Amino acid sequence: MPVLGPQRPLLSPLNSTSPATPRLGLATNQTGPQCLEVSVPEGLFLSLGLVSLVENVLVVAAIIKNRNLHSPMYYFVCCLAVSDLLVSVSNVLETTVMLLLEAGALAPRAAVVQQLDDVIDVLICSSMVSSLCFLGAIAVDRYISIFYALRYHSLVTLPRAWRAIAAVWVASILASTLFIAYYNHAAVLLCLVSFFVAMLALMAVLYVHMLARACQHARGIARLHKRRRSTQQGFGLKGAATLTILLGTFLLCWGPFFLHLSLIVLCPQHPTCGCVFQNFHLFLTLIVCNAVVDPLIYAFRSQELRKTLQEV
């Protein structure tokens, strides 16, 4: 795998179109205007990875410890925590190795660096794909629990949940291996981008439908108890805020990375696209931020899990 990225030689397939530019301030393209390059300090990046590591380890430990949390819903949350943990660990490991190489603490043997490069690339890509899959699985699980409440336990059984989890991990590893092997093919990048768009559409449709059903239910309760209209509006605003947080966080943290992949296919040599490529490190930082935020959205809001965390 060629090492062409200016900031992160590891994971080079994703950043192979980035020109060599300074890390701070405005970077000037030879054929275009100045570009704003956002520099993320390595210390901040490592700190975010450490916070994510602690949060997700606590989530996994709490779910393993408390038998009341041994249900398909929490298993999906646990797998999301494992995926986010791997995202953080692999990115932090990559950054640490690069810092050690730059400091001369590690001997830069080409064969060893190449093998480590491939392993970390596969680990990062598989953890990213699995994170997206489990975010979609959680949305589907919540949708079934609301719209098919009476049949939920017969539809979402532990054996089916385990089969789904195993399928996600196997598919993630295979997809990441193929991506690393054929990263220079536009079809591979387009498949990844299409997968992200499909997950975004799936989550948006499911959560919007759930919000509509919740608002309809709240209106029915309000009519039954003759409550004021302001109560209904307050519930609708709260639901809309929750939906905005869920989808907004997903789009903000993952969108720039997949925009980067799209531009590699659409305009690899265009100066404006080159400005986007120069902020690849920022896009990876946003993904690590997502690994920090996910436990707050999907795990720590559970009273039972918070109680278990206090015991842990």
Side-chain angles (χ1 to χ4, degrees), residues 62 69 299-311:
L69 302 178
F300 294 153
R301 296 174 65 184
S302 168
Q303 184 176 359
E304 182 75 19
L305 193 143
R306 289 200 306 270
K307 181 180 177 182
T308 306
L309 283 176
Q310 292 176 356
E311 298 174 1

Side-chain angles (χ1 to χ4, degrees), residues 34-145:
Q34 287 185 328
C35 303
L36 178 62
E37 182 180 359
V38 180
S39 176
V40 180
E42 302 293 355
L44 174 61
F45 187 81
L46 294 174
S47 299
L48 289 172
L50 180 60
V51 172
S52 171
L53 174 66
V54 173
E55 284 185 343
N56 288 290
V57 166
L58 287 175
V59 171
V60 174
I63 292 175
I64 293 176
K65 177 181 175 59
N66 191 342
R67 290 187 175 274
N68 294 331
L69 302 178
H70 291 185
S71 64
M73 178 183 69
Y74 284 105
Y75 283 146
F76 290 138
V77 173
C78 181
C79 288
L80 175 63
V82 173
S83 299
D84 287 341
L85 188 151
L86 291 177
V87 168
S88 301
V89 169
S90 54
N91 277 288
V92 168
L93 176 61
E94 177 195 6
T95 301
T96 302
V97 170
M98 294 311 305
L99 291 176
L100 292 175
L101 287 173
E102 291 174 2
L106 291 179
R109 298 179 181 178
V112 175
V113 172
Q114 181 68 45
Q115 293 176 357
L116 184 60
D117 181 12
D118 293 340
V119 171
I120 293 180
D121 286 351
V122 171
L123 181 60
I124 292 176
C125 292
S126 60
S127 57
M128 288 178 178
V129 172
S130 61
S131 292
L132 294 175
C133 288
F134 287 120
L135 285 170
I138 291 172
V140 172
D141 177 79
R142 292 183 175 182
Y143 183 86
I144 295 175
S145 68

